[in-house]
Amino acid sequence: AAGICPDQAWSAAMAVSPAVEGLWGVSPNALRQALAISPWLPDGWDEMALRRLRVGGTTLDLRLRRKEGGQVLQVSRLQGPPIRLTASLRLRAAIETVLLNDEPLGGGRAVFDTGEQAEVQFMLG
C-alpha cells in the first residue's frame, strides 16, 4: 500500500534524533560545508560516539571521552570535501590548552570563555 512505512522509520528516527540533537548539539549546514556541535557528556559517562554523521557530501565520526584533567573530542573525516567544524564544549573548568592531532591548535581559532564553555573552530580537511 502506498504511503505506508512498514518498519516505521519515522518512529526509529524519533528515538535517535533527540539523542543526536540533545547529547551532541549537532547543527549541520550543508550549503556552507559547516558543522557546529555542542556536545554534553553526562555525569557518569566516560565516553560517547556518533558514527557516520553526514553533512552534505562529507561523512564524519565523532567521539567524546573523559581524560584525566579534561575531555578529548576526536573528529575523523571519513569521506567527502573538507568541512568547517565549530565545537562548543561545556566544561566545569577553564581551558588551558587545545590540541589538534596531539599538537597545540595553530591552524584554527580557539575562543576560551572564562565561564563553563569553550569554542574551538577549524577546517577539518
Side-chain angles (χ1 to χ4, degrees):
I4 295 175
C5 183
D7 62 357
Q8 296 186 355
W10 57 269
S11 181
M14 290 313 296
V16 173
S17 183
V20 170
E21 293 173 6
L23 290 175
W24 283 98
V26 170
S27 181
N29 187 331
L31 293 176
R32 294 182 184 241
Q33 274 305 109
L35 172 66
I37 61 171
S38 180
W40 171 68
L41 190 58
D43 290 337
W45 288 27
D46 290 328
E47 70 178 82
M48 64 183 187
L50 182 58
R51 304 275 187 232
R52 305 203 53 79
L53 175 66
R54 283 201 61 146
V55 180
T58 302
T59 304
L60 306 166
D61 277 351
L62 307 172
R63 180 179 174 215
L64 182 64
R65 64 184 169 87
R66 291 190 200 284
K67 184 177 179 183
E68 186 175 327
Q71 294 181 3
V72 175
L73 174 63
Q74 181 179 357
V75 182
S76 301
R77 183 172 56 98
L78 304 176
Q79 65 183 23
I83 191 166
R84 178 166 304 283
L85 175 69
T86 301
S88 298
L89 306 174
R90 294 176 251 181
L91 305 167
R92 295 187 179 175
I95 301 295
E96 293 179 15
T97 256
V98 174
L99 302 177
L100 179 61
N101 297 328
D102 295 325
E103 298 290 329
L105 182 66
R109 178 177 66 89
V111 178
F112 303 131
D113 293 342
T114 55
E116 296 180 347
Q117 189 159 346
E119 180 180 284
V120 180
Q121 184 179 78
F122 56 92
M123 280 301 291
L124 186 63

